[in-house]
Amino acid sequence: MEGLAWEEALVSEGAHPELIHLQAELNKRRDKRLALACRKRVYEVVSANKRRRTNEDAVWSWWKVARDDLQTEMIAETNRKRRKLERERRAIERPQPRRIIFSCLCLYGS
């Protein structure tokens, strides 16, 4: 009985060897879970940042391609318009050739 009373006193004081061992084991497991949770959180933050950067790079790439296509299209349209105006200007500046009507030849040729 005396041994049980002694163990009961140690338990109530929190100084029982098995209680100390179990508490140490629980603390060790808790610390390990906290460390793993912290590492997982850091990994998830890095992964989210990497995905965000990848998506941002994809958007910028798409934007640059669209910009280049628009620029090429606008340059081509401007060149077409310029060539058309130059053709029209040359046509206006060049005297029109006199048209000879061969109506009499057509009548006699048949």
Side-chain angles (χ1 to χ4, degrees):
M1 247 359 205
E2 198 173 294
L4 289 176
W6 174 74
E7 283 193 38
E8 184 179 347
L10 287 177
V11 168
S12 64
E13 293 172 6
H16 193 279
E18 289 182 28
L19 181 64
I20 292 172
H21 172 72
L22 289 174
Q23 192 65 35
E25 185 66 28
L26 289 173
N27 286 338
K28 188 168 53 171
R29 290 180 184 183
R30 185 198 67 210
D31 292 344
K32 188 172 184 175
R33 280 195 316 271
L34 286 174
L36 288 173
C38 182
R39 284 197 341 219
K40 182 179 178 184
R41 170 94 170 117
V42 167
Y43 171 78
E44 288 174 350
V45 167
V46 168
S47 177
N49 285 336
K50 189 183 294 185
R51 278 195 314 270
R52 183 190 55 79
R53 256 188 326 237
T54 302
N55 290 340
E56 186 177 328
D57 290 346
V59 168
W60 274 111
S61 175
W62 169 82
W63 182 84
K64 287 176 184 178
V65 168
R67 178 201 60 190
D68 292 344
D69 289 346
L70 178 63
Q71 185 178 17
T72 302
E73 182 181 327
M74 290 178 73
I75 289 171
E77 183 180 349
T78 302
N79 287 337
R80 281 193 301 272
K81 288 180 179 180
R82 183 178 45 79
R83 285 192 301 269
K84 181 181 176 186
L85 287 173
E86 286 178 6
R87 280 194 304 270
E88 291 174 356
R89 181 184 54 81
R90 282 195 307 269
I92 290 171
E93 290 175 355
R94 182 175 1 132
Q96 293 294 323
R98 290 182 33 202
R99 297 180 74 186
I100 302 173
I101 301 173
F102 294 105
S103 60
C104 58
L105 290 176
C106 291
L107 291 175
Y108 297 117
S110 44

